[in-house]
Amino acid sequence: MSAIDSYRLDGKCALVTGASRGIGHATALWLKELGAEVFGTATTEGGAEAISESLGAGCGLVLNVTDGEAIAATVAEVSGQAGPIAILVNNAAITRDQLLMRMKDEDWDDVLDTNLRGAMRVTRACLRGMLKARFGRIIGISSVVGYAGNPGQANYCAAKAGLAGFSRAVAHELGARGITANVIAPGFIDTDMTRALDETQRDRLKGTIPLGRLGEPSDIAACVGFLAGPGGAYITGQTVHVNGGMYMT
Ligand code: NAP
């Protein structure tokens, strides 16, 4: 295999959840650049249209990952247009930050339902096609805080740690069928999710990062591309930490 070929994704169909912004958007564009036929989802019609403008007509879809029927319809739509989904990036997620003392059941349930159960449901819906093709790359976007913990994010940390455990179980179950499952644990990446922090918080954060900057969405997209491609074929059940060194295992 040539060096370039170890990254190429030609002929592969990819689905990225939460591709309207941030990491998901950068990832969808990068997988397309590598040659995949990429579909991305947003929760709104406007978001889906914007995705179609950057990925191609019909490639932006509306999906709420808490809706099981919508997941089935999305997977059917993508498979109908481009064949079985070979690369799945479970990226969609939300935060509902609150100290545990004050956390409502609803804050817990919303985050677990979207970030963990959503990923499980989309993965399960893609399995039939992957099993038939005897090929699959399932990549979950976890988080550094799923490992290090973070005050005010008990729900989000639990979901992100859960996604890694889920992925390891899937890696065990499906490795023999040519399907890999991994998670990437980003550190702090410059997206809408972290733009909620004020300047002082961002400066304090940068001081904890050996590389001295927040990550860019493209830093995560590059790692997704590698895990999805031929060069990543022998990696499964792993967490890849992409965090500028802020947390070292
Ligand atoms: P973001 O800018 O907040 O974008 C979130 C994406 O998820 C959007 O496309 C959003 O769609 C979609 N989404 C939200 N709820 C959804 C639902 N119920 N169903 C389907 N899609 C939904 O997030 P980001 O910062 O790029 O983060 C992307 C991933 O990286 C997430 O898993 C996040 O937890 C993880 N992560 C981020 C950081 C960071 O520092 N940013 C660090 C570690 C991990 P709409 O646009 O339609 O709302």
Side-chain angles (χ1 to χ4, degrees), residues 17-25 41-44 47-48 51 63-67 90-95 110 114-115 140-145 156 160 163 184-195 214-215 217 220:
T17 64
S20 50
R21 302 184 263 135
I23 292 169
H25 184 63
T41 75
T43 59
T44 62
I51 294 171
L63 174 67
N64 185 326
V65 296
T66 64
D67 180 343
N90 283 311
N91 167 80
I94 55 167
T95 51
D110 285 352
T114 304
N115 301 9
I141 306 299
S142 177
S143 171
V144 63
V145 302
Y156 184 81
K160 293 300 185 183
L163 190 62
I184 295 170
F188 284 86
I189 310 301
D190 193 9
T191 70
D192 290 350
M193 210 175 248
T194 43
R195 276 175 212 131
L214 265 65
I220 307 305

Side-chain angles (χ1 to χ4, degrees), residues 75-246:
V75 171
E77 165 78 26
V78 172
S79 309
Q81 279 195 55
I85 294 164
I87 300 162
L88 169 64
V89 186
N90 283 311
N91 167 80
I94 55 167
T95 51
R96 295 281 183 275
D97 296 354
Q98 189 55 269
L99 292 173
L100 183 58
M101 282 285 284
R102 295 194 204 121
M103 188 173 285
K104 299 191 184 87
D105 281 7
E106 202 183 320
D107 299 326
W108 176 270
D109 291 344
D110 285 352
V111 168
L112 270 287
D113 201 26
T114 304
N115 301 9
L116 185 55
R117 195 174 185 209
M120 179 280 290
R121 285 173 140 174
V122 181
T123 304
R124 193 176 55 192
C126 290
L127 285 187
R128 194 184 297 274
M130 288 182 177
L131 285 167
K132 231 173 160 183
R134 296 189 73 82
F135 181 93
R137 298 280 181 266
I138 301 163
I139 299 160
I141 306 299
S142 177
S143 171
V144 63
V145 302
Y147 295 81
N150 204 24
Q153 291 200 305
N155 48 2
Y156 184 81
C157 294
K160 293 300 185 183
L163 190 62
F166 164 74
S167 175
R168 289 192 287 269
V170 172
H172 274 292
E173 284 187 27
L174 299 168
R177 316 293 286 273
I179 298 169
T180 66
N182 294 287
V183 296
I184 295 170
F188 284 86
I189 310 301
D190 193 9
T191 70
D192 290 350
M193 210 175 248
T194 43
R195 276 175 212 131
L197 302 171
D198 63 35
E199 266 315 302
T200 322
Q201 289 170 310
R202 284 166 75 93
D203 284 344
R204 200 177 322 126
L205 245 176
K206 281 183 204 161
T208 68
I209 304 172
L211 290 181
R213 65 170 176 89
L214 265 65
E216 294 297 327
S218 58
D219 292 318
I220 307 305
C223 188
V224 174
F226 175 70
L227 288 175
Y234 199 54
I235 302 172
T236 195
Q238 304 302 315
T239 297
V240 183
H241 291 273
V242 183
N243 61 27
M246 70 177 288

